[in-house]
Amino acid sequence: MLIEKLNWRYATKKMDPSKTVSEDKVERIVEAARLAPTSSGLQPFEVIVVTDPDVRAKIREIAWNQAQVTEGSHLLVFAAWDNYTEERINHMFDLVNEERGIKNEGWEAYRQMLLTSYPQRDQQVNFEHAARQAYIGFGMAVAQAAFEGVDSTPMEGFDPAKLDEILGLREKGLRSVTILPLGYRQPDGDWLVNLKKVRRPLAEFTSRV
Amino acid sequence: MLIEKLNWRYATKKMDPSKTVSEDKVERIVEAARLAPTSSGLQPFEVIVVTDPDVRAKIREIAWNQAQVTEGSHLLVFAAWDNYTEERINHMFDLVNEERGIKNEGWEAYRQMLLTSYPQRDQQVNFEHAARQAYIGFGMAVAQAAFEGVDSTPMEGFDPAKLDEILGLREKGLRSVTILPLGYRQPDGDWLVNLKKVRRPLAEFTSRV
């Protein structure tokens, strides 16, 4: 049944500005991203939920004027950590210990391994790694939106530096990587809605060993 | 209900080698990845389904000896395009035209825009972009596996260059980015199965604008 929903979804080009996605659905879509598995469990990304019309109007300007940004009811911004720092790594490992109420030798050795490698790496390498993790959460949010019957439009077509400025992300150590408007399709005026979804055939997409 | 499944799933540490994931479930997990949205619809990645025990034994050696690689019944390897080439872009645009039975001026202009930008970019930039797309599919496959009640272990802990060699990926213009063993948990002997799943609290993970 999830597969049916994944077939139902498409990169919605025209959203009905009179329809609003309910808060409980938005929460579950964000929750799917929060539950996404990430490397070493560090969750090196955040999701900013933008509803403010003025902010979304500004974002639309730096997103090739794509209408879904303002015609959907919510805009999710996926922003990855700009770097892996000692503080961030320790924070997550401490949170795990606190939540589980135990200390584990292997886990602490693993923490040390990360502390002696990640923060010393090139910042851009770390950001690229964090960005990939954000894309796992992005994929899970897209799946959850489809499952909820909510339309969404995965978008990389925007100026990340300008979006970071609009939302003040750099000051928080974040860099935007993808955005996801949420809303409901308006079939009249959506050139894509009735076109066949095209994916490479299985034989091209997968192989067996 | 998908959220329940996402809470149920965890990075399974011990899989029961006597249990095999059914082919129809594996197919739907791969299908979720195939249906993933990707930038410009290019689907710049493939999924290799490895069941051969000898090949999996070799992969386990270059994956920190993680047991799930051989104790699960299937291993999915996500491999991204090493580059965006004219040929690959044209192939996907032609496929779309063929499947939809129409030619669209805007779509053709978009093809030209990609042809005059992507192939000229640095190969590593293109690979990183393709890799991110693979992670969208990876996230959707993880979600689908959970939905199917299939255990999986998202893994970046392996030597990509050696995995590429084992599977002959470079010759196909592919580079491995993540792997996903599929199987069923063996609670006895899995140190993680009964520990609390920890994620950053909502207030840390998300904000509203």
Side-chain angles (χ1 to χ4, degrees):
Chain A
M1 184 184 145
L2 181 52
I3 291 289
E4 272 168 48
K5 293 291 194 173
L6 297 181
N7 272 304
W8 167 84
R9 71 153 295 283
Y10 73 111
T12 308
K13 299 302 176 190
K14 179 83 183 158
M15 290 181 176
D16 183 342
S18 73
K19 290 187 181 159
T20 299
V21 181
S22 66
E23 277 305 311
D24 62 312
K25 284 179 189 282
V26 174
E27 276 166 26
R28 285 195 295 271
I29 294 164
V30 172
E31 181 67 1
R34 197 177 74 99
L35 289 172
T38 54
S39 184
S40 305
L42 292 175
Q43 283 183 284
F45 69 99
E46 295 187 18
V47 174
I48 299 101
V49 183
V50 187
T51 50
D52 186 290
D54 294 339
V55 176
R56 288 196 290 142
K58 272 188 212 159
I59 295 174
R60 181 171 163 170
E61 280 174 32
I62 55 95
W64 303 358
N65 195 33
Q66 290 174 93
Q68 306 94 316
V69 173
T70 54
E71 291 177 350
S73 64
H74 294 73
L75 178 74
L76 305 188
V77 175
F78 288 73
W81 287 355
D82 59 359
N83 201 358
Y84 288 109
T85 64
E86 281 195 24
E87 191 193 0
R88 288 170 175 182
I89 293 168
N90 277 324
H91 177 71
M92 198 65 207
F93 274 74
D94 291 344
L95 176 66
V96 167
N97 287 349
E98 198 183 305
E99 290 285 314
R100 290 184 178 158
I102 53 163
K103 259 201 157 183
N104 175 293
E105 212 177 304
W107 182 241
E108 292 304 320
Y110 190 64
R111 179 207 299 249
Q112 291 310 317
M113 195 273 286
L114 292 187
L115 285 175
T116 54
S117 54
Y118 280 15
Q120 287 75 36
R121 291 197 308 199
D122 178 73
Q123 173 160 1
Q124 185 65 21
V125 169
N126 279 338
F127 165 66
E128 290 294 345
H129 185 260
R132 289 187 185 187
Q133 313 306 313
Y135 274 70
I136 302 175
F138 185 66
M140 292 181 75
V142 169
Q144 184 69 35
F147 189 78
E148 300 283 346
V150 170
D151 282 303
S152 67
T153 314
M155 284 186 186
E156 285 180 334
F158 63 92
D159 184 327
K162 288 193 178 139
L163 181 52
D164 295 353
E165 215 178 289
I166 292 170
L167 295 176
L169 296 179
R170 294 292 176 109
E171 300 90 284
K172 295 179 189 163
L174 297 170
R175 294 170 62 178
S176 56
V177 290
T178 51
I179 60 178
L180 190 71
L182 303 176
Y184 291 101
R185 61 187 72 177
Q186 185 168 286
D188 299 344
D190 189 335
W191 59 269
L192 188 54
V193 65
N194 289 318
L195 292 179
K196 187 177 175 187
K197 182 194 282 293
V198 181
R199 293 291 186 272
R200 285 191 282 137
L202 258 186
E204 258 183 51
F205 179 73
T206 189
S207 54
R208 297 256 170 177
V209 175
Chain B
M1 185 185 145
L2 180 52
I3 291 289
E4 273 168 47
K5 294 291 194 175
L6 297 182
N7 272 303
W8 167 85
R9 71 153 294 284
Y10 73 112
T12 307
K13 300 302 176 188
K14 179 83 184 160
M15 290 181 174
D16 183 342
S18 73
K19 290 186 180 160
T20 299
V21 181
S22 65
E23 276 305 310
D24 61 312
K25 283 179 188 282
V26 174
E27 275 166 27
R28 286 195 295 270
I29 293 165
V30 172
E31 181 68 359
R34 197 178 74 99
L35 290 172
T38 54
S39 186
S40 305
L42 292 175
Q43 284 183 284
F45 70 100
E46 295 187 18
V47 174
I48 299 100
V49 183
V50 187
T51 50
D52 186 291
D54 295 338
V55 176
R56 288 196 290 142
K58 271 189 212 159
I59 294 174
R60 179 171 165 171
E61 281 174 31
I62 55 95
W64 303 358
N65 195 32
Q66 289 173 95
Q68 307 94 316
V69 173
T70 54
E71 291 177 352
S73 64
H74 294 72
L75 178 73
L76 306 188
V77 175
F78 288 73
W81 287 356
D82 60 359
N83 202 358
Y84 289 110
T85 64
E86 281 196 24
E87 191 193 0
R88 289 169 175 182
I89 293 169
N90 277 325
H91 177 71
M92 198 64 206
F93 275 74
D94 291 344
L95 176 66
V96 167
N97 287 349
E98 198 182 305
E99 290 285 314
R100 291 185 178 157
I102 53 163
K103 260 202 157 184
N104 174 294
E105 213 177 301
W107 182 242
E108 291 304 319
Y110 191 66
R111 178 208 298 249
Q112 289 311 316
M113 195 272 287
L114 292 187
L115 286 174
T116 53
S117 55
Y118 281 15
Q120 286 76 34
R121 292 197 309 199
D122 177 73
Q123 172 159 1
Q124 185 66 19
V125 169
N126 278 339
F127 164 67
E128 290 292 345
H129 186 261
R132 290 186 185 187
Q133 313 307 312
Y135 274 70
I136 302 176
F138 186 65
M140 292 181 74
V142 170
Q144 184 69 37
F147 190 78
E148 300 283 347
V150 170
D151 281 304
S152 67
T153 314
M155 284 184 186
E156 285 179 335
F158 63 92
D159 184 327
K162 288 194 177 139
L163 181 52
D164 295 354
E165 213 177 289
I166 292 170
L167 295 175
L169 295 179
R170 295 293 178 108
E171 301 90 284
K172 295 178 188 165
L174 296 170
R175 293 170 62 179
S176 56
V177 290
T178 50
I179 60 178
L180 190 70
L182 302 176
Y184 291 101
R185 63 188 69 177
Q186 186 168 285
D188 300 344
D190 188 335
W191 59 269
L192 188 54
V193 66
N194 290 319
L195 292 180
K196 187 178 174 187
K197 180 193 285 291
V198 181
R199 293 292 187 272
R200 285 191 283 136
L202 258 188
E204 258 184 53
F205 179 72
T206 188
S207 53
R208 297 256 170 176
V209 175

Short mmCIF file of all heavy atoms in Angstrom, two decimals, chain B residues 8 11 18 23 29 40 68 77-78 85 100 111 115 129 141 148-149 152 166 175 189 191 195 201-202 208:
data_model
loop_
_atom_site.label_atom_id
_atom_site.label_comp_id
_atom_site.label_asym_id
_atom_site.label_seq_id
_atom_site.Cartn_x
_atom_site.Cartn_y
_atom_site.Cartn_z
N TRP B 8 9.40 1.16 14.95
CA TRP B 8 9.71 -0.27 15.14
C TRP B 8 11.10 -0.60 14.60
O TRP B 8 11.84 -1.39 15.17
CB TRP B 8 8.63 -1.11 14.43
CG TRP B 8 8.97 -2.55 14.27
CD1 TRP B 8 8.78 -3.55 15.19
CD2 TRP B 8 9.56 -3.17 13.12
NE1 TRP B 8 9.20 -4.75 14.67
CE2 TRP B 8 9.69 -4.55 13.41
CE3 TRP B 8 9.99 -2.70 11.87
CZ2 TRP B 8 10.23 -5.47 12.50
CZ3 TRP B 8 10.52 -3.60 10.96
CH2 TRP B 8 10.64 -4.97 11.28
N ALA B 11 18.58 -0.07 13.52
CA ALA B 11 19.74 -0.59 12.78
C ALA B 11 20.11 -1.95 13.36
O ALA B 11 20.94 -2.05 14.26
CB ALA B 11 20.90 0.39 12.87
N SER B 18 18.87 -17.98 9.42
CA SER B 18 17.97 -19.03 8.90
C SER B 18 16.74 -18.45 8.23
O SER B 18 15.96 -19.17 7.62
CB SER B 18 17.55 -19.97 10.05
OG SER B 18 16.63 -19.31 10.89
N GLU B 23 10.84 -12.78 -1.91
CA GLU B 23 11.18 -12.01 -3.11
C GLU B 23 10.22 -10.84 -3.34
O GLU B 23 10.63 -9.79 -3.80
CB GLU B 23 11.21 -12.91 -4.34
CG GLU B 23 12.53 -13.63 -4.53
CD GLU B 23 13.76 -12.70 -4.58
OE1 GLU B 23 13.74 -11.71 -5.35
OE2 GLU B 23 14.73 -12.95 -3.84
N ILE B 29 10.79 -3.24 -1.89
CA ILE B 29 11.80 -2.35 -1.28
C ILE B 29 12.64 -1.70 -2.38
O ILE B 29 12.90 -0.49 -2.35
CB ILE B 29 12.67 -3.15 -0.27
CG1 ILE B 29 11.80 -3.57 0.92
CG2 ILE B 29 13.87 -2.33 0.19
CD1 ILE B 29 12.41 -4.66 1.81
N SER B 40 15.72 16.53 -11.51
CA SER B 40 15.40 16.50 -12.94
C SER B 40 14.96 15.11 -13.40
O SER B 40 14.97 14.83 -14.60
CB SER B 40 16.59 16.96 -13.80
OG SER B 40 17.01 18.24 -13.40
N GLN B 68 25.82 -8.59 9.63
CA GLN B 68 24.54 -8.52 8.91
C GLN B 68 24.72 -8.71 7.41
O GLN B 68 23.78 -9.12 6.72
CB GLN B 68 23.87 -7.16 9.15
CG GLN B 68 23.69 -6.77 10.62
CD GLN B 68 24.85 -5.91 11.11
OE1 GLN B 68 26.02 -6.19 10.83
NE2 GLN B 68 24.52 -4.88 11.85
N VAL B 77 22.97 -2.78 -2.55
CA VAL B 77 24.07 -1.83 -2.71
C VAL B 77 23.56 -0.65 -3.53
O VAL B 77 23.09 -0.84 -4.66
CB VAL B 77 25.28 -2.49 -3.41
CG1 VAL B 77 26.38 -1.45 -3.68
CG2 VAL B 77 25.82 -3.65 -2.58
N PHE B 78 23.62 0.54 -2.95
CA PHE B 78 23.21 1.75 -3.66
C PHE B 78 24.46 2.36 -4.29
O PHE B 78 25.42 2.69 -3.59
CB PHE B 78 22.56 2.74 -2.69
CG PHE B 78 21.18 2.31 -2.26
CD1 PHE B 78 21.02 1.26 -1.37
CD2 PHE B 78 20.05 2.94 -2.76
CE1 PHE B 78 19.75 0.83 -0.99
CE2 PHE B 78 18.77 2.52 -2.38
CZ PHE B 78 18.63 1.47 -1.49
N THR B 85 26.74 12.68 -17.83
CA THR B 85 27.24 12.82 -19.20
C THR B 85 26.08 13.17 -20.13
O THR B 85 24.91 12.96 -19.79
CB THR B 85 27.87 11.51 -19.69
OG1 THR B 85 26.84 10.50 -19.74
CG2 THR B 85 28.98 11.04 -18.76
N ARG B 100 5.84 8.88 -22.61
CA ARG B 100 4.68 9.78 -22.60
C ARG B 100 4.09 9.96 -23.99
O ARG B 100 2.98 10.47 -24.14
CB ARG B 100 5.07 11.13 -22.00
CG ARG B 100 5.36 11.03 -20.51
CD ARG B 100 5.63 12.40 -19.89
NE ARG B 100 5.85 12.25 -18.45
CZ ARG B 100 6.52 13.13 -17.69
NH1 ARG B 100 7.03 14.22 -18.24
NH2 ARG B 100 6.66 12.93 -16.40
N ARG B 111 16.10 20.12 -21.18
CA ARG B 111 17.17 19.16 -21.55
C ARG B 111 18.42 19.92 -21.99
O ARG B 111 19.53 19.63 -21.54
CB ARG B 111 16.67 18.27 -22.70
CG ARG B 111 17.72 17.26 -23.18
CD ARG B 111 17.56 16.86 -24.67
NE ARG B 111 16.31 16.20 -25.00
CZ ARG B 111 16.18 14.91 -25.35
NH1 ARG B 111 17.26 14.14 -25.42
NH2 ARG B 111 15.02 14.40 -25.67
N LEU B 115 22.14 19.86 -20.54
CA LEU B 115 23.25 19.42 -21.41
C LEU B 115 24.37 20.46 -21.46
O LEU B 115 25.55 20.10 -21.62
CB LEU B 115 22.75 19.15 -22.83
CG LEU B 115 21.94 17.86 -23.03
CD1 LEU B 115 21.40 17.80 -24.46
CD2 LEU B 115 22.79 16.63 -22.73
N HIS B 129 26.51 15.15 -6.27
CA HIS B 129 25.10 15.45 -6.52
C HIS B 129 24.32 14.16 -6.76
O HIS B 129 23.23 13.96 -6.20
CB HIS B 129 24.97 16.40 -7.72
CG HIS B 129 23.56 16.85 -7.96
ND1 HIS B 129 22.76 16.27 -8.91
CD2 HIS B 129 22.80 17.80 -7.34
CE1 HIS B 129 21.56 16.87 -8.88
NE2 HIS B 129 21.57 17.79 -7.94
N ALA B 141 13.79 3.34 0.58
CA ALA B 141 13.93 1.88 0.73
C ALA B 141 13.90 1.48 2.20
O ALA B 141 13.28 0.47 2.57
CB ALA B 141 15.23 1.40 0.07
N GLU B 148 7.22 -3.10 5.43
CA GLU B 148 7.06 -4.53 5.14
C GLU B 148 7.37 -5.40 6.36
O GLU B 148 7.28 -6.64 6.27
CB GLU B 148 8.01 -4.95 4.01
CG GLU B 148 7.82 -4.23 2.69
CD GLU B 148 6.61 -4.74 1.91
OE1 GLU B 148 6.06 -5.80 2.28
OE2 GLU B 148 6.20 -4.06 0.94
N GLY B 149 7.82 -4.78 7.46
CA GLY B 149 8.21 -5.59 8.61
C GLY B 149 9.53 -6.31 8.39
O GLY B 149 9.80 -7.34 9.02
N SER B 152 16.45 -4.06 8.58
CA SER B 152 17.52 -3.60 7.69
C SER B 152 18.54 -2.85 8.54
O SER B 152 18.24 -2.44 9.65
CB SER B 152 16.96 -2.68 6.60
OG SER B 152 16.47 -1.48 7.17
N ILE B 166 34.86 -5.29 -6.15
CA ILE B 166 34.20 -6.60 -6.01
C ILE B 166 33.03 -6.74 -6.98
O ILE B 166 32.83 -7.78 -7.59
CB ILE B 166 33.71 -6.81 -4.55
CG1 ILE B 166 34.91 -6.95 -3.60
CG2 ILE B 166 32.81 -8.03 -4.44
CD1 ILE B 166 34.54 -6.91 -2.10
N ARG B 175 29.58 4.28 -8.60
CA ARG B 175 30.38 4.25 -7.38
C ARG B 175 29.45 3.98 -6.20
O ARG B 175 28.43 4.67 -6.03
CB ARG B 175 31.08 5.60 -7.17
CG ARG B 175 32.14 5.90 -8.22
CD ARG B 175 32.64 7.34 -8.13
NE ARG B 175 33.29 7.62 -6.86
CZ ARG B 175 33.85 8.81 -6.55
NH1 ARG B 175 33.80 9.81 -7.42
NH2 ARG B 175 34.42 8.99 -5.38
N GLY B 189 21.30 -11.94 21.27
CA GLY B 189 22.60 -11.62 20.68
C GLY B 189 22.63 -10.28 19.98
O GLY B 189 23.65 -9.89 19.43
N TRP B 191 22.69 -6.59 20.78
CA TRP B 191 22.83 -5.68 21.93
C TRP B 191 21.94 -4.45 21.81
O TRP B 191 21.62 -3.81 22.81
CB TRP B 191 24.29 -5.23 22.10
CG TRP B 191 24.88 -4.52 20.89
CD1 TRP B 191 25.55 -5.09 19.85
CD2 TRP B 191 24.85 -3.11 20.61
NE1 TRP B 191 25.94 -4.14 18.94
CE2 TRP B 191 25.53 -2.90 19.38
CE3 TRP B 191 24.34 -1.99 21.26
CZ2 TRP B 191 25.68 -1.65 18.80
CZ3 TRP B 191 24.49 -0.73 20.68
CH2 TRP B 191 25.16 -0.57 19.46
N LEU B 195 17.41 -1.60 23.51
CA LEU B 195 17.77 -0.25 23.96
C LEU B 195 16.83 0.78 23.31
O LEU B 195 16.36 0.60 22.20
CB LEU B 195 19.23 0.07 23.61
CG LEU B 195 20.26 -0.76 24.38
CD1 LEU B 195 21.68 -0.37 23.94
CD2 LEU B 195 20.12 -0.56 25.88
N PRO B 201 15.25 15.67 20.55
CA PRO B 201 13.86 16.07 20.78
C PRO B 201 13.41 17.05 19.70
O PRO B 201 14.23 17.76 19.09
CB PRO B 201 13.89 16.71 22.16
CG PRO B 201 15.33 17.00 22.45
CD PRO B 201 16.13 16.02 21.66
N LEU B 202 12.11 17.09 19.48
CA LEU B 202 11.54 17.94 18.43
C LEU B 202 12.06 19.38 18.50
O LEU B 202 12.37 19.98 17.46
CB LEU B 202 10.02 17.96 18.55
CG LEU B 202 9.24 17.09 17.57
CD1 LEU B 202 7.76 17.38 17.71
CD2 LEU B 202 9.68 17.34 16.12
N ARG B 208 10.05 26.67 13.78
CA ARG B 208 8.93 27.19 12.99
C ARG B 208 9.18 28.65 12.62
O ARG B 208 9.67 29.43 13.44
CB ARG B 208 7.64 27.14 13.83
CG ARG B 208 7.23 25.73 14.21
CD ARG B 208 6.08 25.32 13.36
NE ARG B 208 5.78 23.90 13.50
CZ ARG B 208 4.75 23.33 12.90
NH1 ARG B 208 3.93 24.04 12.14
NH2 ARG B 208 4.55 22.04 13.02
#
